[in-house]
Amino acid sequence: MPPIRVLIVDDDPLVIQALADAIGSCEEFVVAGTAQSGEDAIRRIARIRPGVTLMDVEMPGMGGLEATRKIREVYPDTRVLILTAHGHDHLAGDAAAAGAHGYLQKTCGLDVIRRSIALVWNGVTLVDSTVRSPAAERPQA
């Protein structure tokens, strides 16, 4: 079976490098490309046709949710896995509404990210178990 082609989208070059190193070190994946904005991701998808796009939410210009919506409209076979620093359930819901196949927090660990890419590629929809409701964080009176 050929490796899963992954596009990494994040505005932080250090995050991109760390993810590329971690994902590229596994023979079941190949890092097909990287992008630092939603607009750049859409342009690159047209050329490299990744199986899974690992997408940050907050980036300059077009953010990850808008980019996800456009990617899913134009390239419905590309699966999108959101990887963000935000762990609120409303963002996970927004990501699902945009067409994302999964939602992970960046604190989940590299093994979880690698497993999640494979799961999303194989049709599983997932949400990080640490995603929390903002109401749960408010002090009770």
Side-chain angles (χ1 to χ4, degrees), residues 13-108:
L14 291 175
V15 170
I16 288 175
Q17 188 61 55
L19 289 170
D21 290 347
I23 293 166
S25 68
C26 296
E27 61 186 44
E28 67 182 297
F29 308 116
V30 62
V31 177
T34 64
Q36 290 187 291
S37 70
E39 297 92 347
D40 192 23
I42 292 167
R43 283 190 299 272
R44 291 179 191 261
I45 286 173
R47 287 193 324 268
I48 65 174
R49 301 295 178 142
V52 176
T53 297
L54 196 55
M55 178 78 70
D56 188 17
V57 171
E58 289 186 11
M59 295 177 286
M62 183 187 299
L65 297 181
E66 183 181 349
T68 296
R69 223 177 333 278
K70 290 183 184 227
I71 289 165
R72 297 292 297 134
E73 288 172 8
V74 179
Y75 306 102
D77 293 337
T78 299
R79 300 188 175 282
V80 178
L81 177 57
I82 299 292
L83 182 63
T84 182
H86 304 286
H88 294 293
D89 61 355
H90 68 89
L91 281 175
D94 292 347
H101 297 88
Y103 186 93
L104 297 176
Q105 286 187 267
K106 288 181 178 177
T107 57
C108 69

Side-chain angles (χ1 to χ4, degrees), residues 99-117:
H101 297 88
Y103 186 93
L104 297 176
Q105 286 187 267
K106 288 181 178 177
T107 57
C108 69
L110 295 172
D111 286 339
V112 171
I113 293 169
R114 287 187 290 251
R115 280 194 307 271
S116 297
I117 292 169

